[in-house]
Amino acid sequence: MNLFMRNKILNIPNIITLIRFILGFVFLYFLINSKITIAISVFIIGVITDFLDGYIARKLKQETKFGQFFDLVTDGVFGGIALIALTYYNYIELLITILLIAGGAIVGLSVLIEKRVVFTRGSKYWGKAVGWFAFA
């Protein structure tokens, strides 16, 4: 058995998170190329996968420290791409983008400094909803 399977890194929820990570760049591609409808569709799929990965991880008992950390990183990358794109197209102010990205970076760095994921339980659905509502 290889390292990824033995340490439960390669499981269904983490694969879904990886897809969301990639979708962030797909979203940016379509946004840059003025395919707004497709970009919005990709963004919505990203939001759905954000809910789905945690739900499946809990249901299948496949929660891992790596998965929690990777989900946090992916949320930051996906959200950061969205913020930068929206700022570029003057939908939101640069200062707001800087503050939101800096806040996310501080949380991410605190996790790295502690060398552990500080979230022992997955985020609650309301927390996810509020976070994604802020982007909408």
Side-chain angles (χ1 to χ4, degrees), residues 4-24:
F4 290 109
M5 292 302 290
R6 201 171 33 239
N7 291 325
K8 300 179 185 175
I9 291 174
L10 189 60
N11 60 27
I12 294 169
N14 291 345
I15 291 170
I16 293 170
T17 303
L18 177 61
I19 291 168
R20 187 169 81 254
F21 184 86
I22 294 167
L23 283 175

Side-chain angles (χ1 to χ4, degrees), residues 60-82:
L60 299 179
K61 297 184 183 342
Q62 293 184 348
E63 295 174 280
T64 64
K65 294 287 185 189
F66 172 79
Q68 290 173 339
F69 178 74
F70 188 42
D71 183 66
L72 178 68
V73 168
T74 299
D75 287 348
V77 168
F78 197 91
I81 287 171

Side-chain angles (χ1 to χ4, degrees), residues 114-131:
E114 289 293 320
K115 295 182 183 174
R116 61 184 169 86
V117 176
V118 294
F119 307 109
T120 56
R121 297 183 68 195
S123 62
K124 299 293 182 195
Y125 296 112
W126 285 110
K128 290 269 188 196
V130 168

Side-chain angles (χ1 to χ4, degrees), residues 50-56 58-59 122-132:
D50 190 23
F51 284 100
L52 201 57
D53 60 2
Y55 176 79
I56 290 173
R58 286 183 290 278
K59 279 292 188 190
S123 62
K124 299 293 182 195
Y125 296 112
W126 285 110
K128 290 269 188 196
V130 168
W132 283 111

Side-chain angles (χ1 to χ4, degrees), residues 18-107:
L18 177 61
I19 291 168
R20 187 169 81 254
F21 184 86
I22 294 167
L23 283 175
F25 297 97
V26 173
F27 166 75
L28 181 61
Y29 171 80
F30 286 118
L31 198 61
I32 287 171
N33 289 292
S34 299
K35 308 283 186 188
I36 304 302
T37 304
I38 297 172
I40 290 170
S41 299
V42 170
F43 185 82
I44 291 169
I45 292 168
V47 170
I48 292 168
T49 60
D50 190 23
F51 284 100
L52 201 57
D53 60 2
Y55 176 79
I56 290 173
R58 286 183 290 278
K59 279 292 188 190
L60 299 179
K61 297 184 183 342
Q62 293 184 348
E63 295 174 280
T64 64
K65 294 287 185 189
F66 172 79
Q68 290 173 339
F69 178 74
F70 188 42
D71 183 66
L72 178 68
V73 168
T74 299
D75 287 348
V77 168
F78 197 91
I81 287 171
L83 284 169
I84 291 167
L86 291 171
T87 302
Y88 178 78
Y89 287 105
N90 296 315
Y91 288 111
I92 59 175
E93 295 294 323
L94 178 62
L95 180 61
I96 293 171
T97 298
I98 290 170
L99 291 173
L100 289 171
I101 290 175
I106 290 168
V107 170

